[in-house]
Short mmCIF file of all heavy atoms in Angstrom, two decimals:
data_model
loop_
_atom_site.label_atom_id
_atom_site.label_comp_id
_atom_site.label_asym_id
_atom_site.label_seq_id
_atom_site.Cartn_x
_atom_site.Cartn_y
_atom_site.Cartn_z
N ARG Q 220 14.19 5.73 9.88
CA ARG Q 220 13.06 6.60 10.14
C ARG Q 220 12.71 6.59 11.62
O ARG Q 220 12.27 7.60 12.18
CB ARG Q 220 11.87 6.09 9.31
CG ARG Q 220 10.83 7.11 9.09
CD ARG Q 220 9.93 6.71 7.97
NE ARG Q 220 9.23 5.47 8.26
CZ ARG Q 220 8.28 4.98 7.47
NH1 ARG Q 220 7.95 5.61 6.37
NH2 ARG Q 220 7.68 3.85 7.77
N ALA Q 221 12.93 5.43 12.26
CA ALA Q 221 12.65 5.33 13.69
C ALA Q 221 13.74 6.01 14.51
O ALA Q 221 13.47 6.77 15.44
CB ALA Q 221 12.51 3.87 14.10
N VAL Q 222 14.99 5.75 14.12
CA VAL Q 222 16.13 6.21 14.91
C VAL Q 222 16.24 7.73 14.90
O VAL Q 222 16.54 8.36 15.91
CB VAL Q 222 17.42 5.58 14.35
CG1 VAL Q 222 18.64 6.28 14.87
CG2 VAL Q 222 17.45 4.10 14.67
N VAL Q 223 15.96 8.33 13.73
CA VAL Q 223 16.28 9.73 13.53
C VAL Q 223 15.51 10.64 14.49
O VAL Q 223 15.96 11.72 14.84
CB VAL Q 223 16.00 10.12 12.05
CG1 VAL Q 223 14.52 10.30 11.81
CG2 VAL Q 223 16.78 11.35 11.65
N ARG Q 224 14.37 10.17 14.94
CA ARG Q 224 13.55 11.04 15.79
C ARG Q 224 13.97 10.97 17.24
O ARG Q 224 13.44 11.70 18.07
CB ARG Q 224 12.09 10.64 15.65
CG ARG Q 224 11.52 10.93 14.28
CD ARG Q 224 10.11 11.44 14.39
NE ARG Q 224 9.45 10.91 15.59
CZ ARG Q 224 8.68 9.85 15.59
NH1 ARG Q 224 8.41 9.22 14.48
NH2 ARG Q 224 8.12 9.45 16.70
N ASP Q 225 14.87 10.06 17.56
CA ASP Q 225 15.35 9.90 18.92
C ASP Q 225 14.19 9.73 19.90
O ASP Q 225 14.04 10.48 20.86
CB ASP Q 225 16.18 11.14 19.29
CG ASP Q 225 16.98 10.88 20.55
OD1 ASP Q 225 17.12 9.70 20.92
OD2 ASP Q 225 17.45 11.86 21.17
N PRO Q 226 13.33 8.71 19.65
CA PRO Q 226 12.12 8.57 20.45
C PRO Q 226 12.39 7.91 21.80
O PRO Q 226 13.49 7.41 22.04
CB PRO Q 226 11.26 7.64 19.58
CG PRO Q 226 12.25 6.77 18.90
CD PRO Q 226 13.50 7.61 18.69
N ALA Q 227 11.38 7.93 22.65
CA ALA Q 227 11.51 7.30 23.96
C ALA Q 227 11.33 5.79 23.84
O ALA Q 227 11.78 5.04 24.69
CB ALA Q 227 10.49 7.88 24.92
N LEU Q 228 10.65 5.36 22.80
CA LEU Q 228 10.28 3.95 22.71
C LEU Q 228 10.26 3.50 21.25
O LEU Q 228 9.68 4.17 20.39
CB LEU Q 228 8.88 3.78 23.33
CG LEU Q 228 8.19 2.42 23.26
CD1 LEU Q 228 9.00 1.39 24.02
CD2 LEU Q 228 6.78 2.52 23.82
N PHE Q 229 10.93 2.38 20.99
CA PHE Q 229 10.86 1.75 19.67
C PHE Q 229 9.83 0.64 19.69
O PHE Q 229 9.82 -0.17 20.61
CB PHE Q 229 12.19 1.07 19.32
CG PHE Q 229 13.27 1.99 18.84
CD1 PHE Q 229 14.60 1.65 19.06
CD2 PHE Q 229 12.97 3.15 18.17
CE1 PHE Q 229 15.61 2.47 18.61
CE2 PHE Q 229 13.99 3.98 17.72
CZ PHE Q 229 15.31 3.64 17.95
N LEU Q 230 9.02 0.57 18.65
CA LEU Q 230 8.10 -0.55 18.52
C LEU Q 230 8.39 -1.26 17.21
O LEU Q 230 8.51 -0.62 16.16
CB LEU Q 230 6.65 -0.03 18.51
CG LEU Q 230 6.23 0.77 19.74
CD1 LEU Q 230 4.84 1.36 19.54
CD2 LEU Q 230 6.27 -0.10 20.99
N PHE Q 231 8.55 -2.55 17.26
CA PHE Q 231 8.83 -3.31 16.05
C PHE Q 231 7.74 -4.36 15.86
O PHE Q 231 7.49 -5.15 16.77
CB PHE Q 231 10.16 -4.07 16.17
CG PHE Q 231 11.36 -3.20 16.42
CD1 PHE Q 231 11.75 -2.88 17.70
CD2 PHE Q 231 12.13 -2.75 15.36
CE1 PHE Q 231 12.88 -2.11 17.94
CE2 PHE Q 231 13.26 -1.98 15.58
CZ PHE Q 231 13.63 -1.65 16.88
N ASP Q 232 7.13 -4.41 14.69
CA ASP Q 232 6.16 -5.47 14.42
C ASP Q 232 6.71 -6.40 13.35
O ASP Q 232 6.63 -6.09 12.17
CB ASP Q 232 4.81 -4.89 14.01
CG ASP Q 232 3.70 -5.94 14.06
OD1 ASP Q 232 4.03 -7.13 14.27
OD2 ASP Q 232 2.53 -5.58 13.91
N GLU Q 233 7.27 -7.50 13.76
CA GLU Q 233 7.85 -8.49 12.86
C GLU Q 233 8.68 -7.83 11.75
O GLU Q 233 8.43 -8.06 10.57
CB GLU Q 233 6.76 -9.35 12.23
CG GLU Q 233 5.82 -9.90 13.29
CD GLU Q 233 5.13 -11.17 12.85
OE1 GLU Q 233 5.63 -11.81 11.91
OE2 GLU Q 233 4.13 -11.54 13.49
N PRO Q 234 9.67 -7.03 12.12
CA PRO Q 234 10.36 -6.26 11.09
C PRO Q 234 11.22 -7.11 10.17
O PRO Q 234 11.59 -6.66 9.10
CB PRO Q 234 11.23 -5.29 11.90
CG PRO Q 234 11.47 -6.00 13.18
CD PRO Q 234 10.24 -6.80 13.45
N LEU Q 235 11.52 -8.33 10.57
CA LEU Q 235 12.47 -9.12 9.77
C LEU Q 235 11.80 -10.23 8.97
O LEU Q 235 12.47 -10.97 8.26
CB LEU Q 235 13.55 -9.73 10.68
CG LEU Q 235 14.32 -8.72 11.53
CD1 LEU Q 235 15.40 -9.42 12.32
CD2 LEU Q 235 14.93 -7.63 10.66
N SER Q 236 10.50 -10.35 9.09
CA SER Q 236 9.90 -11.56 8.52
C SER Q 236 9.85 -11.55 6.99
O SER Q 236 9.57 -12.57 6.38
CB SER Q 236 8.51 -11.81 9.10
OG SER Q 236 7.75 -10.65 8.97
N ASN Q 237 10.13 -10.39 6.37
CA ASN Q 237 10.16 -10.39 4.90
C ASN Q 237 11.56 -10.61 4.33
O ASN Q 237 11.76 -10.47 3.14
CB ASN Q 237 9.61 -9.07 4.34
CG ASN Q 237 8.10 -8.99 4.47
OD1 ASN Q 237 7.46 -9.97 4.84
ND2 ASN Q 237 7.54 -7.85 4.17
N LEU Q 238 12.52 -10.90 5.19
CA LEU Q 238 13.90 -11.05 4.71
C LEU Q 238 14.27 -12.53 4.64
O LEU Q 238 13.68 -13.37 5.31
CB LEU Q 238 14.86 -10.34 5.66
CG LEU Q 238 14.61 -8.85 5.86
CD1 LEU Q 238 15.61 -8.27 6.84
CD2 LEU Q 238 14.69 -8.10 4.53
N ASP Q 239 15.28 -12.83 3.83
CA ASP Q 239 15.72 -14.23 3.79
C ASP Q 239 16.54 -14.56 5.04
O ASP Q 239 16.96 -13.67 5.77
CB ASP Q 239 16.49 -14.54 2.50
CG ASP Q 239 17.78 -13.77 2.42
OD1 ASP Q 239 18.64 -13.94 3.31
OD2 ASP Q 239 17.95 -12.98 1.48
#
Side-chain angles (χ1 to χ4, degrees):
Chain Q
R220 201 163 62 173
V222 165
V223 77
R224 292 219 331 264
D225 194 16
L228 175 63
F229 281 152
L230 302 173
F231 300 89
D232 194 352
E233 310 205 19
L235 303 184
S236 52
N237 285 353
L238 302 179
D239 65 61

